[in-house]
Every structure is written in C-alpha cells, then in structure tokens.
Amino acid sequence: MRMHKLVGLPSAIALAVGLAGAAIAPANAAAPPSAGPASTYLVLAPQGGNTKAAQKRVAAAGGTILASYDQIGVLVARSTNGAFETAVKGSGVQSVASTDGLGTTLIDDNITMGVDTGAEEATGNPTAEPLWANQWDMRQIDVPEAHAITTGDPSVVVGVLDSGIDATHPDLATQVVKEKSASCIGGVVDTSQAAWSPTTSTHGTHVAGTIAAAINGVGIAGVAPGARVASVKVVNDDGFIYPEAAICGYLWAADHGMQVTNNSYYIDPWEFNCINDPRQRPVWLAVQRALSYSSRKGTLTVASAGNSNVDLQHKFTDSTSPNDGSYPVVDRTITGACRDLPAEAPGVVTVSAVGPTEQKSYYSSYGQGVVDVTAPGGDTRFRTGGATSTITDAVLSTVPGGWGWAQGTSMAGPHVAGVAALALSAHPGMKPGQLASFLERTATPLACPEGVYEPRPGYAATCTGGERNSFYGAGNVNAFNVVK
Ligand SMILES: [Ca+2]
Ligand SMILES: [Ca+2]
C-alpha cells in the first residue's frame, strides 16, 4: 500500500480551510491468476476505430461492459477474471488497463458560518447581497463593473465536475440545470437528482456558488449569476475520482452542450509512478482522448494547478538539478501519457491562485507554460507572514446548509470558469481555443516578485518569465474586460 504525501499542506491548514490536492487511493492487492474480486478496466480500441471488436473480446474474456464511449473508442468493463487483461488483448484492442488504485481525491474541509437571511430584495447589483462585504474575490476581478453590462446568459451552462451540487441551496436553486446534471461515479451515467447531489463533500457546492450564485437578496453573488451550472458528479462517497468517472464526465459535459467545465481536482500520473508502470499508460491515454474529444465538441476545460507549491514546468525536465528520487528525470516528449491531468493536457486553461493582495497564494503550484492565468483562490497566511490563519482571506461561497470559507487553487478555477461564462454571454460563438486566448488577452498582467518568494516559512518559490510568467501566466482574469 502506498499513499501520496500532500506536499506542504500541514494538517492544521487542511482542517481550517479547504485545500484541494491529489492523493492516491490505496492500491488493491494483486489480482489472483483466476477468478477474484471485480476490477474495473478501460479497454481502448484503436484511435478513430469503433469498439465492436473490442466489445466481443471483453465478452469472451469474461467481462461486463458498463459503458461504451464510442466517441473516443473507450469501453469501461468490469471483470473478476484475474487474467482479463491478457485475455482481452488482440485485434481491435489497442490497450487495456485496470484503474484499480488510480483514484485521486479532493480535500474539502469547509467551515460554514451563520448568516442573516433577513436581507433586502436584490436589485441585480451584486454589491447589495447580504454577504457582499466578504467577497473580496469578486471585487478583485471587477465583477460589479461586469454586472452593470451583463450577469451572463442562461444559455451558457458551466459543467462542475466535482462532488455534486446542492440544488436546494437558496443561492443555487435557480442556477442548477437539472436536466443536464448527472453522476458519473463508476464511469456510468445516472441522471437522478439523488445521484448528482452532494453526499460526503461540500466542495462542488462551494465551486458552483463562485461561478453562479444568484443575485437574489440572499447570501452571495457569483461571477456569472445570469449563467447556469450543471452538476457532473465524479467524486465518489469515499472522496475519490477514478479515471472512468472523469472520462464519463468530460463526455457528458461535451455531449450536453456545456461550453465550459470546471475541474477542481488534479491527477498527477507521476505520483502513480506512471513511467515505471506502463500498465497505467492506457488509462491516462483514455483520459486524454476524452479531453481532446470535449475540446473538439466546443467545451473549454478549466483546471486547477494544484496546491503543492511545486514548479510544474521543472518538476521532471530539469536534469541539472540533483534528482531527489521523488520523480524520475526523463524526457517528457516520449511520455505524453504521463502528463499531469487535466492541468497539462493541450487546450486546457490551467489556473494558479492569488490572495487578497494579488500575490501568489503560498500553496499554489505554478509553472511557465503550464499556468495560463491566475484568479482569486485565497491566502489565509499572507497577513501574518504565515504565523496564523485569517479565515476571511479565504473565498466565501455556498455550502450545503449555508455559506463557508475555503481556499485553494480549486477556488481559483471557478472564478475563471465564471469569467469564461460571462465572455461567452457577451461574445457568443467563441470556440474553446479562441475563448482561452481571449481570457488571457483580457487578463491583468501581474509581475513576478523579485528573488525568492517565501510568503510563509517553508513555502519558497521563484517566479520566472516576464509579462507572462510562471506564477500568474497571462495575469489575473477580469470579468469586466471580457464583457465591455
Ligand atoms: Ca445571492
Ligand atoms: Ca494550458
């Protein structure tokens, strides 16, 4: 059994505020040579080919097909045959791999706060919302100025690939598109509201509120309250996101016309030792096929950079650095299947986090050529130089039963998804590539801090690049600039 260590996230912080990161599910025991416990497999037909021959091979090998994603030539199968992988290989099957042990997690320790709900009626002005005074994040990216022009168009639906959305929440009840919401747990679509509602995690509800909480005289305002969100639940009750769920989620969002998805989780195949375990490569290849399909269908994927304060660009390629043994140093060009997903997949907008002073949040990962833009994600430590936590410097949003604070790059991502929704409302018809470059062009550039940046002891990082740099990419997204 092997557990992923969350780099630089002391438990005290994780308890105080929500920090999303990646962790590894315990690997299952090796399968016995014959019948054993059921495992889930991804079976890849040749790229561009159909899955008919692969379906026959799965049946012959003693597998049950749970889902057939013909759009990308991927089957999700389940089998108790310990020799399933060997048996299913052959003509019509490019590769096959079990997803056992390849689940990643969200960390979602939000704190709810009491709220005065006897507030005045909304006027369409976000600054009249009762909790507006706490929404430094919205002021930072000029949301009020944007809302004077548009709050977004209801035809724009942002898919929240997360732990489910509470559609009964007073700030979200009018905002969730139920007919486009679904659970993808297990790689299989379930459209019942119970299936796509939150069970063990508040994370998805928090993300949804940042994107689209209503201007209704209650609680907070989101970035694009005129647009809507759909719950695409990919996090299971144990807190894990398995590759088959992520694949199902990307395809569901793309096939239901969602022009933007928000992805507040982070799959780091290297943490799963992808390069030394070729068995895993088909799994990550299937995830990339799904991402690429969704981009072709017109969906922009917004992804969080992660909360490990690591340089994503130099993590593996800096062969001049001493290899500390934590990652193999290899040429990434030959190991495309081992990219961090979705953060490093082509066409994905990857987001780092800043706090109330528009400086990199101490926990935010970064990387030249990886981070495209930044957005408010909160920083509860900058105010005291790391000594103590200031909860109001996190991001306030909706949680089941109320409103709560959380910080993390998974809080920054939904600000970008919301701004993307505003951009599509003001300028309909943009393709994902055009939208991505529009978000970058309209961002407010943020300069690199000089020298070593260490806002909190133990969280040192060095920024590289000019106007476009490793900490902030093209800069902080701006809601007004995309609608004016
Ligand atoms: Ca509200
Ligand atoms: Ca990118």
Side-chain angles (χ1 to χ4, degrees):
M1 186 180 291
R2 192 167 67 93
M3 290 299 291
H4 168 55
K5 190 180 170 198
L6 282 165
V7 179
L9 296 179
S11 57
I13 284 294
L15 286 171
V17 288
L19 282 165
I24 287 180
N28 287 5
S34 58
S39 290
T40 299
Y41 296 88
L42 295 178
V43 180
L44 281 72
Q47 180 102 43
N50 69 47
T51 59
K52 283 199 183 107
Q55 292 192 32
K56 282 186 187 151
R57 296 202 67 86
V58 167
T64 305
I65 292 167
L66 302 181
S68 175
Y69 295 116
D70 296 317
Q71 308 97 311
I72 56 168
V74 173
L75 301 175
V76 181
R78 192 125 175 105
S79 180
T80 56
N81 178 3
F84 180 80
E85 285 184 38
T86 312
V88 88
K89 279 178 184 156
S91 176
V93 172
Q94 179 186 304
S95 49
V96 53
S98 158
T99 67
D100 286 352
L102 299 182
T104 58
T105 62
L106 294 169
I107 298 177
D108 61 343
D109 302 300
N110 296 297
I111 293 176
T112 54
M113 56 180 270
V115 134
D116 173 16
T117 51
E120 64 209 88
E121 278 301 300
T123 61
N125 173 1
T127 66
E129 294 295 274
L131 298 177
W132 173 257
N134 300 288
Q135 294 193 271
W136 61 268
D137 53 321
M138 300 294 163
R139 289 191 291 278
Q140 186 183 90
I141 61 170
D142 292 342
V143 166
E145 291 82 355
H147 286 183
I149 296 169
T150 180
T151 58
D153 190 285
S155 70
V156 177
V157 179
V158 178
V160 178
L161 275 65
D162 213 295
S163 61
I165 301 175
D166 177 8
T168 68
H169 192 288
D171 243 345
L172 294 171
T174 56
Q175 307 303 94
V176 179
V177 186
K178 294 184 176 177
E179 63 273 20
K180 290 193 176 187
S181 294
S183 163
C184 270
I185 307 301
V188 181
V189 168
D190 182 345
T191 57
S192 68
Q193 183 164 345
W196 54 256
S197 291
T199 39
T200 56
S201 165
T202 62
H203 195 280
T205 302
H206 197 279
V207 163
T210 295
I211 296 168
I215 296 178
N216 56 357
V218 175
I220 60 160
V223 178
R228 295 182 297 164
V229 290
S231 172
V232 183
K233 189 171 176 178
V234 296
V235 183
N236 72 16
D237 282 354
D238 298 323
F240 289 104
I241 302 137
Y242 277 88
E244 58 268 30
I247 288 167
C248 165
Y250 295 138
L251 297 189
W252 174 266
D255 287 338
H256 289 80
M258 296 176 210
Q259 293 164 280
V260 183
T261 63
N262 186 78
N263 300 268
S264 292
Y265 55 89
Y266 188 80
I267 306 171
D268 185 348
W270 293 80
E271 295 281 11
F272 295 106
N273 205 15
C274 175
I275 191 65
N276 292 327
D277 185 3
R279 166 189 87 83
Q280 296 179 12
R281 285 187 215 165
V283 172
W284 309 121
L285 202 57
V287 174
Q288 291 191 43
R289 275 193 195 181
L291 276 165
S292 155
Y293 171 82
S294 81
S295 176
R296 289 198 304 278
K297 290 284 282 187
T299 306
L300 178 72
T301 302
V302 175
S304 308
N307 295 337
S308 303
N309 187 37
V310 296
D311 184 342
L312 298 165
Q313 183 199 13
H314 292 113
K315 200 160 64 167
F316 314 113
T317 51
D318 187 0
S319 52
T320 61
S321 298
N323 181 0
D324 66 0
S326 52
Y327 300 104
V329 177
V330 277
D331 182 352
R332 308 190 89 173
T333 58
I334 58 164
T335 58
C338 292
R339 277 194 254 247
D340 292 344
L341 297 170
E344 290 188 288
V348 170
V349 173
T350 299
V351 185
S352 65
V354 293
T357 52
E358 278 192 310
Q359 293 166 291
K360 185 179 92 67
S361 305
Y362 67 88
Y363 53 78
S364 180
S365 291
Y366 54 98
Q368 183 81 344
V370 180
V371 168
D372 298 300
V373 290
T374 197
D379 188 333
T380 59
R381 294 283 169 164
F382 81 94
R383 202 175 286 279
T384 61
T388 59
S389 173
T390 310
I391 195 71
T392 51
D393 290 326
V395 172
L396 182 68
S397 189
T398 46
V399 293
W403 289 262
W405 301 96
Q407 73 172 355
T409 53
S410 42
M411 281 67 235
H415 288 88
V416 177
V419 170
L422 289 179
L424 286 166
S425 302
H427 310 284
M430 273 191 282
K431 292 191 183 339
Q434 295 170 311
L435 178 54
S437 56
F438 187 57
L439 292 173
E440 293 175 14
R441 264 198 330 274
T442 53
T444 307
L446 297 175
C448 273
E450 279 181 32
V452 176
Y453 175 72
E454 192 170 6
R456 180 181 183 192
Y459 290 82
T462 303
C463 184
T464 57
E467 184 156 299
R468 188 184 179 104
N469 57 57
S470 64
F471 275 17
Y472 311 114
N476 201 356
V477 290
N478 190 278
F480 179 54
N481 288 348
V482 301
V483 300
K484 70 180 182 188

